Amino acid sequence: GDSAPDGGTGAYAALGDRASALLSLRDRLDGRLRLSVNLPADAIAAAAELRLQTGVTVEGSATLHIGWAKAFVDGALGSRTAALFEPYTCGPASQTGIPRLSPSELDAIIAGGRAAGISLAIHAIGDRGVADVLDAFERAGPRSPESVPEASVPPAGAVTVVVSSPPPHAATNSATAAAVMPTTSAACLA
C-alpha cells in the first residue's frame, strides 16, 4: 500500500455494499489508514445523493477518499465468460462469453458517473467487451468543458481511455488468451 501522511498505510477497497459500513468506521480509521473507497456502479446514484465524488475526502475524515465506481461488462477468460466476437476455440461452437451490460445500461453508467463526478473503472476482458466499452465512450462523447480543464478536452471524435491490466493477470492470462482467442490474443497482450 501507499504511505499515509502520518506514516500509516494506504489501501484501496472495492467493497460494494460494505462501503457504508467502512465509512461508518472513519473515526477509528482516520489518520491511521489512507483509504480510497471504491463503489459498485449501481451505487452511483446513492453516492451522488450524498454528494460523494472521486478524489473528495469523506466529510469528517482526513484520510478517507472516494475512489471510482466499478462496472463489469463481461467475465473472465478462464471461465469462458469474457465476451468475444468469435467463439472460444475450446468449447461449444456458439460460446462467445457472457456480456453483462447492454449498451443502454453502459451508457447510463457513464452518464451517471459523469453527472456525479465519479470516475469509472470498467472491467472488460474479451475483445467484444472492450469494443462495447469503447463504443459507449464514443457515444457519450467528450466530457463537458465545464467539468474538464480546457487544455485536456480531446478533439471532437477522440476518445481517451486508460487501459490497465494488473501484472499478475497479464502473466496468468496470456496462455489462456492464446488458447481461447488465438486471432486476437497476440495484439491484446503485446
Side-chain angles (χ1 to χ4, degrees), residues 138-180:
E138 283 184 4
R139 286 190 301 273
R143 289 180 288 174
S144 67
E146 298 83 41
S147 65
V148 181
E150 187 175 329
S152 65
V153 174
V159 175
T160 302
V161 176
V162 176
V163 178
S164 171
S165 178
H169 290 204
T172 59
N173 286 343
S174 60
T176 303
V180 301

Side-chain angles (χ1 to χ4, degrees), residues 39-142:
L39 312 166
D42 61 5
I44 291 173
E49 287 179 23
L50 296 171
R51 295 190 172 114
L52 301 176
Q53 295 183 321
T54 296
V56 173
T57 303
V58 173
E59 186 176 331
S61 170
T63 58
L64 298 177
H65 300 79
I66 299 302
W68 36 254
K70 180 116 184 201
F72 291 85
V73 170
D74 64 3
L77 290 171
S79 61
R80 312 301 188 260
T81 55
L84 304 179
F85 285 114
E86 299 294 325
Y88 282 89
T89 59
C90 50
S94 63
Q95 186 178 17
T96 57
I98 302 174
R100 295 182 59 174
L101 295 171
S102 70
S104 62
E105 290 171 318
L106 193 50
D107 291 347
I109 289 169
I110 292 168
R114 285 181 171 181
I118 297 174
S119 295
L120 300 173
I122 302 178
H123 169 102
I125 300 296
D127 56 356
R128 178 178 171 197
V130 171
D132 288 350
V133 172
L134 293 174
D135 289 347
F137 276 104
E138 283 184 4
R139 286 190 301 273

